[in-house]
């Protein structure tokens, strides 16, 4: 109960913070870093005070590398002892940190991002998607992406899309969607199937980049070119076009 280490058990070859002969018969506060030792003693005190299991995590630096552990402190009031069951969760912790970084990246990107299940129901939507299309997260979760359809693309387009991603291939295309308030939005959209550890598709990731401004500029240029061409074709007079150096380039 006072934190004196009286016994231990570990699998053969398991990495320990120090050899058993250096920690057996010593107090936790003597063998662990001060912050970790204090944390262990605090959880030990809570375990006896509340007479129930205490679960906590802590880091340890060994050989220049930081490991993470999860400990379960189980009190034995009858014998005034406690058992600490400890497991290495370094890989789990690193996975959690990776997921956290990816989540932060998706929330901060200006691209629209959403994830659906295999049936096409939206399970995640980032801030950019909500702001671009004017829907709240509550309105999006559980909805089908057809909520964004403008009606401009025909059924063959969507049939090709689904056939592609259900076969496990990535699909990329320029799409014309519509926001909640009826504004048309051009996107360069990439949809990627997400597979589980068995290689089976369980969800889809969609990432879209708003290209509305560029498309509007392209449409404006084409309109001007068509208008200029129509004027020239309707002209009765002869004409020629010269460049800045006075060279004839078209008649």
């Amino acid at each position: 109960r006072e934190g004196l280490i009286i016994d231990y058990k570990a699998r053969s070859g398991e990495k320990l913070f120090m050899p058993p002969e250096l920690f057996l018969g010593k107090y936790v506060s003597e063998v662990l870093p001060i912050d970790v030792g204090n944390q262990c003693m605090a959880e030990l005190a809570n375990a006896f005070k509340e007479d129930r299991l205490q679960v906590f995590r802590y880091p340890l630096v060994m050989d220049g590398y930081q490991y993470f552990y999860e400990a379960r402190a189980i009190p034995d009031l009858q014998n005034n002892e406690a058992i600490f069951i400890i497991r290495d969760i370094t890989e789990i912790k690193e996975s959690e940190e990776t997921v956290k970084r990816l989540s932060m990246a998706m929330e901060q990107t200006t691209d629209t991002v959403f994830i659906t299940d295999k049936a096409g129901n939206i399970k995640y939507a980032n801030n950019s998607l909500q702001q671009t299309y004017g829907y709240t997260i509550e309105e999006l979760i559980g909805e089908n992406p057809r909520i964004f359809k403008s009606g401009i693309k025909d059924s063959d387009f969507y049939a090709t899309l689904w056939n592609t991603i259900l076969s496990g291939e990535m699909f990329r295309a320029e799409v014309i969607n519509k926001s909640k308030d009826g504004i048309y939005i051009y996107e360069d959209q990439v949809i990627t199937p997400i597979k589980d550890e068995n290689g089976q598709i369980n969800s889809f990731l969609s990432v879209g980049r708003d290209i509305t401004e560029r498309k509007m500029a392209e449409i404006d240029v084409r309109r001007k070119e068509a208008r200029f061409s129509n004027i020239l074709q309707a002209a009765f007079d002869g004409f020629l076009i010269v460049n800045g150096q006075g060279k004839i380039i078209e008649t």
Side-chain angles (χ1 to χ4, degrees), residues 116-119 165-169 192-205:
T116 74
D117 59 19
K118 192 174 181 180
I165 60 178
L166 285 174
S167 70
E169 299 296 322
T192 305
I194 301 175
K195 301 177 182 179
D196 60 23
E197 60 274 9
N198 298 315
Q200 300 298 311
I201 298 172
N202 58 24
S203 53
F204 299 102
L205 168 67

Side-chain angles (χ1 to χ4, degrees), residues 60-90:
L60 281 178
V61 176
M62 293 185 283
D63 300 329
Y65 186 78
Q66 188 173 52
Y67 293 83
F68 292 91
Y69 296 90
E70 180 182 85
R72 295 171 177 265
I74 306 169
D76 179 1
L77 270 64
Q78 184 176 356
N79 294 306
N80 214 29
E81 297 175 351
I83 297 175
F84 280 80
I85 301 175
I86 301 166
R87 66 178 181 131
D88 187 340
I89 60 166
T90 304

